[in-house]
Amino acid sequence: MLCSGHGEPQQRHNMTDEKTDDAGLELRLAGSDGAVEQGGSCRGSKPDHTELNDAEVVRRAREEGRVDVVLAGTVSQEGCCRVVSEILKCILYQRQQLPMTYDQLVYSQKKEHGSIQDEEVVSWRPAQTTDSDRRKCLRTLGELEEVFQHLEQLFSLSLVPRVLLLLGGSLILPKELYEIDMEALVLAAGDTSLRVSSCLRQLFRTLFVADLLSDARPVRLMATTVLVLAHRDCGVGWFRPKLDFIVPTRVKRQVIALSTGAGIGSSPQRKASDWGNYVWFQAPVAIKGFSK
């Protein structure tokens, strides 16, 4: 099963003040009927023709390495950023780069520092945590938080049609390559768009059905590099432009493609011809995996 278990306290990223019953990380909803809510009004018991049935989702994931997620409404820029952050957290956990989910790690660290009451402790107890383990955990959490903060800034400066997550190897030939494709999303202001929690429910249910990230084989610890496609003149300072970067083709690319259902909103972010002034920006921090 992807991501974390049921009923555990969650540390939410401060992208939004929206209160959700899950941060989108948990796939405990994966066994539901796939209903997607927009302010409680959009239900998915009878999906429209733009949605894929589960068998087709599984087929595409196995044969094409692609998962298509069709959302029943528009999405805000902040929502897109939150989705990217949650996918990154999930991939790191599912690909064995974290010993538990990001939220569990944050919670356990707070518990160790006495900031959470004893009666709220989660089932995992870091009784045997060594100083070395603690340093590795804090290092990885710090790297992730830095990436999340600067992703938020970048999404406020530019449209972001695609994000790449490269695990291991090099930029030219990574061990694993994941692409988040958001070109077909229709954007709207936050007050008229889908709630982030609704987007995340549908996203992670689809990933659960597709079983894109599961692999029984052990995976080596690797560094994860984040690359973001954004406007060349967006003015971002932390990310480094990689003007000559070409998406690797000698490694299988796993694609998570998000789109807005037909007939919703005006049009996707841009046409393909509009991305000419967009270049890849690389996060200067590589997220180092660790195990206990």
Side-chain angles (χ1 to χ4, degrees):
M1 187 177 75
L2 300 181
C3 298
S4 73
H6 178 71
E8 293 165 345
Q10 300 298 318
Q11 171 70 26
R12 295 174 175 82
H13 180 43
N14 61 3
M15 172 70 64
T16 174
D17 293 332
E18 176 188 28
K19 294 184 180 296
T20 65
D21 55 2
D22 104 22
L25 300 175
E26 322 311 326
L27 294 189
R28 60 180 186 268
L29 296 167
S32 68
D33 62 359
V36 178
E37 301 177 356
Q38 183 178 13
S41 62
C42 290
R43 304 191 63 81
S45 56
K46 293 184 179 180
D48 64 31
H49 68 280
T50 63
E51 295 180 347
L52 301 174
N53 61 42
D54 288 354
E56 179 64 9
V57 169
V58 172
R59 185 197 68 78
R60 289 191 181 184
R62 290 178 178 175
E63 298 179 7
E64 305 173 17
R66 179 184 179 91
V67 175
D68 289 284
V69 182
V70 183
L71 300 177
T74 58
V75 185
S76 66
Q77 273 285 84
E78 295 82 3
C80 289
C81 182
R82 176 74 179 280
V83 165
V84 169
S85 297
E86 299 298 342
I87 290 176
L88 172 56
K89 295 176 189 177
C90 187
I91 287 177
L92 288 173
Y93 171 67
Q94 194 66 21
R95 301 307 298 140
Q96 304 172 37
Q97 301 306 300
L98 299 176
M100 62 187 69
T101 68
Y102 170 85
D103 293 325
Q104 289 172 323
L105 284 172
V106 171
Y107 187 84
S108 68
Q109 288 302 309
K110 286 189 174 183
K111 175 60 185 174
E112 281 196 55
H113 288 83
S115 60
I116 297 178
Q117 297 299 316
D118 289 344
E119 59 267 24
E120 296 178 341
V121 67
V122 292
S123 58
W124 182 86
R125 296 174 183 269
Q128 303 301 318
T129 300
T130 66
D131 288 342
S132 176
D133 291 334
R134 189 175 297 107
R135 285 195 298 270
K136 291 176 182 177
C137 180
L138 291 174
R139 177 201 64 196
T140 299
L141 289 177
E143 291 166 349
L144 277 167
E145 187 59 32
E146 190 172 13
V147 169
F148 295 150
Q149 290 175 359
H150 289 283
L151 275 175
E152 183 176 351
Q153 180 187 32
L154 180 55
F155 271 84
S156 71
L157 296 172
S158 171
L159 294 177
V160 177
R162 296 163 67 193
V163 175
L164 297 179
L165 307 176
L166 284 64
L167 277 66
S170 64
L171 290 183
I172 298 174
L173 187 60
K175 296 291 185 182
E176 299 182 17
L177 172 59
Y178 300 90
E179 176 182 339
I180 305 170
D181 184 346
M182 298 175 285
E183 287 189 28
L185 283 175
V186 177
L187 299 180
D191 55 349
T192 60
S193 62
L194 284 170
R195 293 173 57 194
V196 176
S197 58
S198 297
C199 299
L200 293 172
R201 284 191 188 96
Q202 183 169 354
L203 166 66
F204 284 107
R205 182 195 181 279
T206 306
L207 286 179
F208 176 85
V209 171
D211 200 24
L212 184 72
L213 304 174
S214 296
D215 191 339
R217 296 172 298 178
V219 180
R220 294 178 55 188
L221 292 177
M222 301 177 282
T224 299
T225 301
V226 178
L227 287 108
V228 183
L229 190 65
H231 196 282
R232 64 169 64 244
D233 298 324
C234 65
V236 67
W238 189 75
F239 284 88
R240 299 170 181 171
K242 304 292 289 186
L243 302 180
D244 298 325
F245 176 77
I246 298 175
V247 178
T249 57
R250 290 190 292 166
V251 62
K252 183 177 181 180
R253 180 172 19 169
Q254 308 277 18
V255 179
I256 301 171
L258 296 111
S259 62
T260 300
I264 299 175
S266 54
S267 62
Q269 297 189 40
R270 296 281 182 89
K271 298 178 180 178
S273 58
D274 295 333
W275 303 119
N277 287 320
Y278 282 66
V279 300
W280 289 104
F281 289 86
Q282 178 186 347
V285 171
I287 303 162
K288 301 176 184 65
F290 81 99
S291 61
K292 188 175 179 296

